[in-house]
Amino acid sequence: MKLSQFKFNLPESLLASEPTENRDESRLMVLHRDTGKIEHKIFKDVLDYFDDKDVMILNNTKVFPARLYGNKEKTGATIEVFLLRELNKELRLWDVLVDPARKIRVGNKLYFGDDDLLVAEVVDNTTSRGRTIRFLFDGTDEEFRRNIEILGETPLPKYITRKATPEDKFRYQTIYAKNEGAVAAPTAGLHFSRELMKRLELKGVDFAEVTLHVGLGTFRTVEVEDLTKHKMDSEQFIITDEAAKTVNKAIDLKRRVCAVGTTSMRAIESAVSADRHLKPANDWTSKFIYPPYDFSIANSMITNFHTPESTLLVMIAAFGGYEHVMNAYEQAVKEKYRFYSYGDAMLII
């Protein structure tokens, strides 16, 4: 398929810059992928579509405060440093993006915080905006993390132009986040409240937790018309024995297996056994799912509403059927559903 087939008109007013007051009260569109039928609900109505021994697969990655603001030595110019991933814990080497990039060269030192709480040196160029930096810090790893926590901002997507608030620290994180390593939230999971999860549990729904550390590559613009030529960035994922067993039991019982979010879907589709079951893994994936694609594990999914021509929309179309999904998106715009990270949700069954 071609990238231009995933264009649609998305008014800027539908990009959600604030979360709904209550996590489980965002809107929910339910799309039946066999008929294309659409229902309009509230997220907590998801309860009506799941039953005893069904499984929801959750991505338990945790967002860390990846956006830092520092000053360049000598000039004092303000530089934004976006931490992408830790390359070496002992040497405190990090893969980062810098802005404005033209001012940052190898050998430059950057100072963070009023009392220079952290100092870093640029050691390599990786891409036009990418750099490798080394933090010059002698304390323990715990102290280093605490300083990042003090200095760092919640890495809200760039389309949200307001400053991150203390509330964002809590709301741009799923309630089941455990394993730190993501620079963006697995946003489909943001709709789950503790009360809703308890009610699902009481109905007999099982949860299987996987980890995929979301990188910025998930949101990278697709720049090729031929989708087969697009390359995804690699992201680390972990599937435990326990998660695999829970999911495989539901597959064998022919129950509903629901991937909560595109990141959960990418993780499980990167660990499929020969007999189309989920296998434990600790690996990296650069899997890009586009139509036509034969899904092996999940038979339902929960996702947010994505932007035109994004890899996320392409995956949703592969799962829900191109015509059905594009029609659903047309309806979503008409009905003023909220799009993107803090937006509304879609259940595809």
Side-chain angles (χ1 to χ4, degrees), residues 42-317:
I42 297 295
F43 191 79
K44 54 182 158 191
D45 296 332
V46 85
L47 199 62
D48 301 335
Y49 297 89
F50 292 89
D51 234 316
D52 191 30
K53 297 190 174 57
D54 288 343
V55 168
M56 285 187 166
I57 303 168
L58 310 172
N59 181 5
N60 67 11
T61 188
K62 189 173 186 182
V63 180
F64 65 95
R67 188 172 276 129
L68 302 177
Y69 291 94
N71 299 100
K72 190 180 164 190
E73 63 177 335
K74 294 180 184 150
T75 68
T78 300
I79 305 293
E80 180 188 310
V81 175
F82 195 101
L83 303 174
L84 290 176
R85 64 171 71 106
E86 190 172 40
L87 301 172
N88 185 309
K89 200 182 273 258
E90 284 69 44
L91 297 176
R92 303 205 197 286
L93 283 178
W94 282 77
D95 192 9
V96 304
L97 294 177
V98 293
D99 192 23
R102 66 185 184 282
K103 294 186 175 179
I104 302 301
R105 296 192 172 86
V106 172
N108 287 161
K109 281 201 173 72
L110 303 171
Y111 296 87
F112 302 92
D114 294 340
D115 307 321
D116 299 339
L117 201 54
L118 288 176
V119 180
E121 182 181 11
V122 181
V123 295
D124 198 9
N125 295 322
T126 51
T127 61
S128 58
R129 284 185 57 214
R131 303 288 184 272
T132 302
I133 66 171
R134 180 172 62 233
F135 285 99
L136 310 172
F137 187 78
D138 292 331
T140 64
D141 195 53
E142 209 173 82
E143 290 165 334
F144 175 69
R145 297 276 162 184
R146 195 160 54 241
N147 288 353
I148 294 284
E149 202 64 42
I150 291 165
L151 296 167
E153 264 187 18
T154 302
L156 293 178
K158 280 285 193 190
Y159 82 91
I160 297 178
T161 50
R162 62 177 176 79
K163 279 292 232 183
T165 66
E167 194 201 8
D168 288 313
K169 200 168 189 171
F170 163 66
R171 290 301 302 269
Y172 194 64
Q173 192 84 271
T174 62
I175 59 167
Y176 46 78
K178 287 188 186 76
N179 297 331
E180 192 171 85
V183 298
T187 53
L190 298 180
H191 305 284
F192 285 85
S193 63
R194 292 193 195 287
E195 187 199 11
L196 178 59
M197 289 187 79
K198 180 50 73 184
R199 290 173 71 194
L200 285 161
E201 260 175 54
L202 290 171
K203 271 193 99 170
V205 175
D206 287 323
F207 296 104
E209 292 189 9
V210 301
T211 304
L212 182 136
H213 292 314
V214 191
L216 284 183
T218 297
F219 309 101
R220 194 183 299 290
T221 314
V222 183
E223 288 169 347
V224 285
E225 174 67 357
D226 179 354
L227 292 176
T228 63
K229 302 277 194 295
H230 178 69
K231 296 278 180 284
M232 292 287 280
D233 287 12
S234 212
E235 293 168 318
Q236 188 185 15
F237 75 101
I238 300 158
I239 294 166
T240 61
D241 284 337
E242 187 190 355
K245 277 184 190 136
T246 302
V247 170
N248 291 335
K249 189 174 152 193
I251 290 172
D252 292 338
L253 290 171
K254 301 202 166 16
R255 301 303 304 169
R256 190 159 271 174
V257 176
C258 180
V260 176
T262 55
T263 58
S264 296
M265 184 69 89
R266 216 158 65 255
I268 60 179
E269 283 297 319
S270 300
V272 180
S273 66
D275 64 348
R276 295 170 74 88
H277 280 62
L278 185 61
K279 60 185 185 188
N282 187 339
D283 207 347
W284 291 75
T285 181
S286 52
K287 192 171 198 61
F288 176 34
I289 296 173
Y290 52 87
Y293 183 87
D294 185 17
F295 290 82
S296 298
I297 307 295
N299 50 27
S300 60
M301 85 178 288
I302 291 169
T303 183
N304 275 27
F305 285 93
H306 306 293
T307 48
E309 299 186 312
S310 60
T311 59
L312 307 169
L313 173 58
V314 170
M315 181 202 282
I316 301 310

Side-chain angles (χ1 to χ4, degrees), residues 5-65:
Q5 289 173 264
F6 295 90
K7 266 188 183 145
F8 65 94
N9 181 37
L10 176 60
E12 213 165 291
S13 59
L14 297 185
L15 291 172
S17 59
E18 304 278 349
T20 48
E21 193 175 338
N22 298 310
R23 285 181 186 268
D24 57 14
E25 288 180 356
S26 54
R27 292 165 78 190
L28 175 72
M29 179 187 282
V30 182
L31 172 63
H32 296 257
R33 60 187 186 145
D34 51 349
T35 62
K37 179 186 159 193
I38 288 170
E39 299 174 82
H40 302 287
K41 302 281 184 176
I42 297 295
F43 191 79
K44 54 182 158 191
D45 296 332
V46 85
L47 199 62
D48 301 335
Y49 297 89
F50 292 89
D51 234 316
D52 191 30
K53 297 190 174 57
D54 288 343
V55 168
M56 285 187 166
I57 303 168
L58 310 172
N59 181 5
N60 67 11
T61 188
K62 189 173 186 182
V63 180
F64 65 95

